[in-house]
Structure formats: C-alpha cells, structure tokens
Amino acid sequence: MEWLNAENVVAVGTAFVGIVASGIMVWYERRVPRRKRVGYRVQMDNPIGDDVRSGRPNRRLGLFDEAPGMSDATLVLLRIENDGSQGIARDDYTGPERHGLTAVFTDRTIRGVSVTQPTDTDHLMDHFTADRGFGYEDNTLRIPRVPLNPREHFKLLVLLSGGDVGRGIRLYGGLRDGEVHPNRSATPDDTPPLFSRAARLISILLTVCVVTLATIVVVRGAPPPVGCERGTLTVTGSTAFAPVVREVAAKYERDCEGSSITVDPHGSTAGIRELAAAAAAGRKGSPSVVALSDGPKPAGLDELRENRVAVSVFALVVHDDVTLKNLSTADVRRLYLGQITNWDEVGGPDLPVVLVSRDANSGTRQVFQRRVLGRGEIANSSVDCVHKDDPTAPVIRCELDSTDQVLSTVAATPGAIGYSELNLAERAKGLHPLDLGGDPPSVDAIEHGTSDYPYREIEYAYTYGRPPADSLASSFLTYLTRGNGQDVIRTHGHLPCWTPEGMRLCR
C-alpha cells in the first residue's frame, strides 16, 4: 500500500489541525481556571443635553429640555455579568461595606438610576433595596451584593450630569477567589462578529483541508469496495425482506463490476427448499443461492448455514373502517380461532371480520403463529377473500402469496385484518397498523429496550454450507450484513444485527 500519497498527507494534516485546535481549547480551559468573575461593560454613553462636549449634534423636546440640570446630562447603560464558570453568592463579596460593588463616574454627578434584568432573573430585583446598600452620592454608585449564577447579568441605566461623554467609568469591589474586570462591549450600532478571529482561522484551515481531500478523491475516482467478486447469484426466500435485498443487490452490482444478482422471492419456506434442492442437484460445493427467511430454518436441514442479518418488525393491519388502534394478544388469538366474528365484539364498528392470511410458505405467517398466536390459524374458507366457500366456517379466511397482495386486499376489504412487514404496512394506503397489548410496532422502541412488542423476528440468510471466501455469495452476504447494506436495512425499517443494539437483539 502506498502510504505517502496526497490523500494521506491531507488527511494527516487535517487530523493534526484538529488535534492542535482541540489542544488549544483544552489549554485555554486549563489556563482560565474555574474562578469567580464579575465583568462589566459600558453598553451606552450618550448625551441627552445640549451642553455636552461630545462632537455630536443634539435636539431635545419635553422633559429633556425643561427639567433642571439637563443641559449637560448624559445616559450610561452599564451591564454587570457573571462571566466565570462558578456561581457567585452574597458572601463571596469581600468588601467591609453592606454593598458589594462600587461604580465611579469620573467628573459626573449621578441624578438617577434604573435597574433592569432579563425576564428569567426577576429574583435579582429583591436585592436592590436601600437596606442592602443600594444608593448613590455625587459620582459614586453603590451596588448591592447580588448573587449571580454563571452567565446571569443585570443592567443599570444611569442618568448623569456635569461631564462629557466618554469620561472614565470604573467598577471595583472585592470577590473571594475571583476578580472584577472590564469587558469590551459593542455599542448598540455595532454589528457583532459571528465568530471570533481564532474560530474563523481554524474553520478556514479545516475547510481547506477537507475540500482538498474531497477534490483529490473525486478526481482520482473511488475504488471498488474491498471483496468485490464476479459471477452470478440467486437470492430467494422472504417476500417481506425482498425490497431490502433488491436495493442492496442493485447497489452491489453498481459497486462491483461483473456481478449479476437475481432476486426471486417465493416465501421463506419455499426459498429454503429451493436452496436445499439446488444443493442436492449440484455436484460439489455450495450452490450460488442465498435464501432469506423470516425466522430460523425448519428442523432437519443441518447442512444449511445461517447468517443473522437483521431484526424485522411485523404488524397486524386492519382496513381503515376498523377504527381500533390496539388489540390485546388474547383478542388476536380469539380472532384467528374464529371466536370473534364481528368487530363490535371488541369495541369496533359493526363489520364482519375477514382474515387475510399468507400461504403456508410464508415466514411472516410462521412468525405470527409462533410469536403471537402460539398455534396455527383456522382453516381456509375463501378463495377470493370475499365469498365464504365453506358455509360452516365462522368467518371468511383466505390465503395469499405475497405481502403486497395481503396489503392491497386488506385496504380494499372493509372489516379485513392481515399481517405484513412493518415498513411496507406504514406506507400502504387504506389501512393502519395495530398496537399489541399497548405496545406499538416500533423499531426504535424495540432497539432502545422500551417495548415488549411481540411480533418481531430475526431475518436469516441461509447458504448451503460455508461458501468459499472468494465467492459472490460470501462477498454479497458480507456487503449486506456488514457493509453498505446496513444503511439500506435501516432505511427499510429493520435493525441490522451487526450494530451494538442489533447484536444484543440478534444474539
């Protein structure tokens, strides 16, 4: 492998810049210790009189012109803030006086003060009382011992006279394990920068590195994935998982030139039988066939080797005229025993129950019987899902060959109930999924361990024995379970087994 190439140089450079930037931030956090800090900013210092030597013209009306002492008046807005990393209590002010801080306005006389604070800090106002030291005299303003959480602040609007705009304003006071210091403050007319100079420089350097690396990769072209193999492969089995396999097969063929993958689903049981038949008809070795199954293989097929692919979630679906959103497991079992013939018996509308089921080869049906019913379904009583062929049957029950047929039939038949892979059920029109026992059919809830939803199963991929490492079957299974196929699996609403959460559920 060529280590000293353009991609590696840029990648190492980008990593170096990122590490250095992170180190600088760590150094800064260490360099600026966790101290108590009170900062102050002069956010406004404006003339409101006509005799203030500010170099700016001024016009006045009303009280600004008529009140005594306003000819040389100025307004100052002083912001006082806790810009440290620790909260400040009343006892943290160390001065001997009752008040905590003192503001001095050079060559000016204080005429009045107004206190403001953010709406979420109304409690601060209780501290601005005369008995806590709040007051002023000549050019000196006494500020109480106001407790401040980190990033809390208050503002003082001070009316002054007798001096020029821009004269010195100083705030001082004692603070245990801390300091009082001035901060630079933008004036109301300034536009503050979106990022600091250091942040802009680091962002520009990282952007240049990433763009350079991306340009090199695009110009050179992406190499094919490791482990690409040529040849032909047939993937059969589950119809519920077929949309995933079709998309993954198409992606593999695009990524790996010379490969041809045929997806031909007929149901989980039929797919496993097809694989076993292909192995029996072959001379030696593993046939180029992979069978997907909703659940484990039938007993007696020890030569088939399993690969756990994903956790699939299924759902019971009902026609939209059936307004129920939840059924208990006990009611579902009674439905599929023919003991409930009308939906009004379980709190639904006055509609006869129609059971739309899959054929015996269906893994979706086998999972439903194994995980929810705990037994088989009643006998088939209708061919077209509309007319009852067996007049003695308690309800209409029909069997269909694919998940798509079940969904379209349930959506078109008032009172119908069926079952399907969850992602397909959620996208279908005219029907809706049911919760079971109060647990919703949710991949996220199952993944995070917050749901005991029972209608779910591991999706298996079976091969005859262990296919050779350089075979298309082996390469495709790796691509499906551990490569780009994992993204496709998630997109279709399944949980890949080769993720931390998936490994726990697929174990």
Side-chain angles (χ1 to χ4, degrees), residues 218-285:
V218 170
V219 170
R220 289 197 172 190
V226 176
C228 276
E229 299 295 341
R230 297 174 178 268
T232 60
L233 176 68
T234 298
V235 182
T236 185
S238 169
T239 60
F241 207 69
V244 175
V245 180
R246 287 193 179 98
E247 186 171 341
V248 174
K251 288 174 68 71
Y252 186 94
E253 289 177 339
R254 289 196 300 269
D255 290 341
C256 299
E257 186 178 352
S259 61
S260 176
I261 302 174
T262 301
V263 180
D264 187 24
H266 298 295
S268 297
T269 302
I272 290 175
R273 289 173 180 166
E274 184 178 338
L275 172 60
R283 297 178 180 177
K284 290 183 180 180

Side-chain angles (χ1 to χ4, degrees), residues 47-60 64-65 69-74:
I48 58 173
D50 62 354
D51 193 26
V52 178
R53 292 184 293 277
S54 63
R56 288 173 286 181
N58 187 34
R59 293 291 183 269
R60 299 173 297 138
F64 285 108
D65 189 39
M70 295 296 291
S71 63
D72 56 356
T74 54

Side-chain angles (χ1 to χ4, degrees), residues 293-314:
S293 174
D294 306 329
K297 64 186 177 183
L301 296 174
D302 297 336
E303 66 278 9
L304 299 189
R305 181 176 179 272
E306 71 179 29
N307 299 267
R308 301 190 180 202
V309 178
V311 175
S312 292
V313 180
F314 303 87

Side-chain angles (χ1 to χ4, degrees), residues 329-345:
T329 304
D331 285 340
V332 172
R333 291 170 180 166
R334 291 173 60 211
L335 275 167
Y336 280 85
L337 283 173
Q339 296 175 354
I340 297 174
T341 60
N342 194 295
W343 286 107
D344 61 8
E345 298 175 45

Side-chain angles (χ1 to χ4, degrees), residues 459-479:
E459 193 73 29
Y460 293 87
Y462 286 99
T463 58
Y464 187 83
R466 185 184 296 273
D470 60 351
S471 67
L472 178 55
S474 178
S475 174
F476 177 74
L477 283 176
T478 301
Y479 188 91

